[in-house]
Amino acid sequence: MKILVVGGAGYIGSHMVKRFQDTDHEVEILDNLSTGFELNAQNYKLHICDLSNKDLVYQILKENKYEVVMHFASYINVGESYSQPEKYYKNNVTNTLNLLDCMIDLKILNFIFSSTAAVYGEPQNIPITEAQKISPVNPYGNTKAIVEKILKDYDEAYGLKYIALRYFNACGAHIDGTIGERHNPETHLIPLILQAASGRKKNFTIHGDDYDTKDGTCIRDYIHVMDLAEAHLLSLEDLIKTQNSEIYNIGNNKGFSVKEIIKIAETVTNTKIPYEIAGRRKGDPAQLIADNKIITEKLNWSANYSDLNTIIKTAWKWEKHLSKSN
Ligand code: UFG
């Protein structure tokens, strides 16, 4: 199939694009390079375009006759979504609508969407099933929940078929060491811990140790980015075959606290990681763990790289690469 990966120069998008290398699918990238890197797209046809430029989006989709669009291009920083909500609503919602409207006009009706566990807000039960109430607690989560609603309505009205994947905590780097996580500024747990291990950062700050969890720090479900990419590939192939729109959690069904991650990182890096405890970060639920039964059973997906040792080993290899090149 001919596939457009929007946001293919970013962290998860670049692992997706690389996953297509061993398949028969033909892949192109559309990216505005605001947070992605041209280097990630060097082996592919890259359309540099912002989704706010609807005319250009339309022209690119029309000229290239894609059959599927995968959409990874969004802002993801929860803290920033509080201070600059308009940036999040404009890009994550309005620009996504631009893309969808061009697709509908051109009868491109297969769509894979990056959603998030943040749509659940404070979960009612752990592990979290897809049936749990959608109740985001921050603007970032709101934007993804809104797009999920739009997708449902577009399916009913225009026959848009979609899979929305609710990511838990994406992490790790490609096992071949060529691509990995690189945000600026970095806000994510594992890269920050490893920057403290490599010496790129002086120390690491734990945001809150007074949560109602086993050691007081937040618990998250960490899923390796290559397992995420695999879930997208299986979703896409199933969507083409069945034409059934679906929503899946993608997580590992296991939770680790911040302190547990620090411990594993100390073992993998053989370094004592300096850290301090600070207050809670706004909008952080105490615990998020996925129930991944539906995707596991329906698509025969399994997480093959998401044991914490592999996650941190691959992220450490990538951190060493980054610290050398800085
Ligand atoms: N944390 C720290 N110190 C830091 C950074 C993070 O203690 O310097 C803690 C956070 O408080 C949280 C955990 O580490 O408890 C994980 O934090 P991340 O920022 O790595 O990830 P989040 O769980 O906040 O967010 C991630 C994605 C979001 C998505 C969310 C869904 O980045 O885009 O998962 O669960 F919305």
Side-chain angles (χ1 to χ4, degrees):
M1 308 219 82
K2 190 162 182 191
I3 300 164
L4 181 67
V5 179
V6 178
Y11 170 45
I12 301 174
S14 61
H15 286 79
M16 184 71 245
V17 166
K18 199 168 163 88
R19 177 63 188 87
F20 282 120
Q21 277 177 352
D22 316 328
T23 70
D24 294 332
H25 300 297
E26 187 188 342
V27 177
E28 294 184 1
I29 295 173
L30 184 151
D31 204 298
N32 67 1
L33 300 179
S34 64
T35 57
F37 297 88
E38 200 158 2
L39 202 62
N40 287 342
Q42 65 182 340
N43 299 321
Y44 306 88
K45 181 161 180 193
L46 168 66
H47 303 274
I48 300 176
C49 169
D50 193 284
L51 292 179
S52 62
N53 187 346
K54 197 172 173 185
D55 291 344
L56 183 57
V57 173
Y58 186 87
Q59 193 189 319
I60 293 167
L61 294 189
K62 187 166 184 212
E63 273 170 14
N64 293 289
K65 301 194 173 27
Y66 304 108
E67 294 154 278
V68 182
V69 174
M70 306 181 89
H71 182 25
F72 294 88
S74 59
Y75 292 128
I76 58 159
N77 183 334
V78 171
E80 189 183 61
S81 79
Y82 281 111
S83 57
Q84 296 180 57
E86 91 291 348
K87 174 173 171 181
Y88 280 70
Y89 286 104
K90 275 189 187 143
N91 184 58
N92 295 5
V93 181
T94 311
N95 287 349
T96 299
L97 264 179
N98 284 346
L99 174 64
L100 289 173
D101 289 346
C102 293
M103 288 175 61
I104 301 297
D105 277 358
L106 293 163
K107 305 259 173 312
I108 303 168
L109 295 175
N110 296 299
F111 189 63
I112 310 284
F113 177 62
S114 302
S115 189
T116 172
V119 298
Y120 296 114
E122 273 295 343
Q124 298 144 303
N125 296 301
I126 298 287
I128 305 169
T129 63
E130 288 86 346
Q132 275 200 41
K133 208 169 119 229
I134 298 307
S135 180
V137 292
N138 53 58
Y140 165 69
N142 285 337
T143 65
K144 295 287 181 171
I146 291 169
V147 174
E148 284 195 7
K149 285 190 183 141
I150 294 171
L151 292 176
K152 187 165 178 290
D153 293 342
Y154 274 38
D155 184 354
E156 276 169 31
Y158 311 124
L160 177 78
K161 298 300 166 195
Y162 68 92
I163 308 280
L165 295 161
R166 293 181 181 155
Y167 306 166
F168 282 65
N169 286 62
C171 53
H174 201 280
I175 44 168
D176 74 5
T178 55
I179 48 175
E181 190 167 11
R182 188 178 191 181
H183 299 110
N184 190 15
E186 188 52 78
T187 60
H188 292 98
L189 178 73
I190 292 174
L192 287 173
I193 288 177
L194 296 179
Q195 286 177 16
S198 72
R200 276 212 293 157
K201 262 183 87 75
K202 256 214 185 113
N203 68 359
F204 169 76
T205 304
I206 296 181
H207 294 307
D209 68 345
D210 59 347
Y211 286 94
D212 185 17
T213 60
K214 52 190 165 186
D215 61 19
T217 63
C218 287
I219 292 179
R220 292 287 181 275
D221 182 330
Y222 294 90
I223 184 80
H224 196 284
V225 64
M226 290 174 69
D227 287 329
L228 271 182
E230 192 64 28
H232 285 75
L233 180 61
L234 293 172
S235 297
L236 179 150
E237 288 175 344
D238 192 65
L239 182 69
I240 300 306
K241 199 166 66 198
T242 65
Q243 289 291 285
N244 285 332
S245 297
E246 298 281 357
I247 294 179
Y248 297 120
N249 282 340
I250 327 183
N252 196 25
N253 223 179
K254 292 188 181 89
F256 291 89
S257 74
V258 174
K259 283 190 174 167
E260 285 174 326
I261 303 285
I262 295 176
K263 252 207 186 104
I264 302 167
E266 288 188 331
T267 308
V268 169
T269 62
N270 199 19
T271 311
K272 186 94 196 117
I273 293 166
Y275 70 83
E276 59 183 21
I277 312 273
R280 292 183 179 196
R281 205 169 60 171
K282 198 171 162 191
D284 263 348
Q287 199 172 168
L288 292 171
I289 302 173
D291 183 322
N292 61 12
K293 201 163 159 220
I294 298 189
I295 190 164
T296 306
E297 289 184 357
K298 263 198 158 158
L299 302 187
N300 207 13
W301 171 83
S302 57
N304 294 324
Y305 298 98
S306 293
D307 63 285
L308 249 302
N309 256 311
T310 306
I311 286 173
I312 297 193
K313 267 188 192 153
T314 56
W316 181 230
K317 188 171 174 184
W318 177 244
E319 167 56 24
K320 284 192 289 191
H321 166 76
L322 287 181
S323 50
K324 243 189 256 151
S325 54
N326 265 351

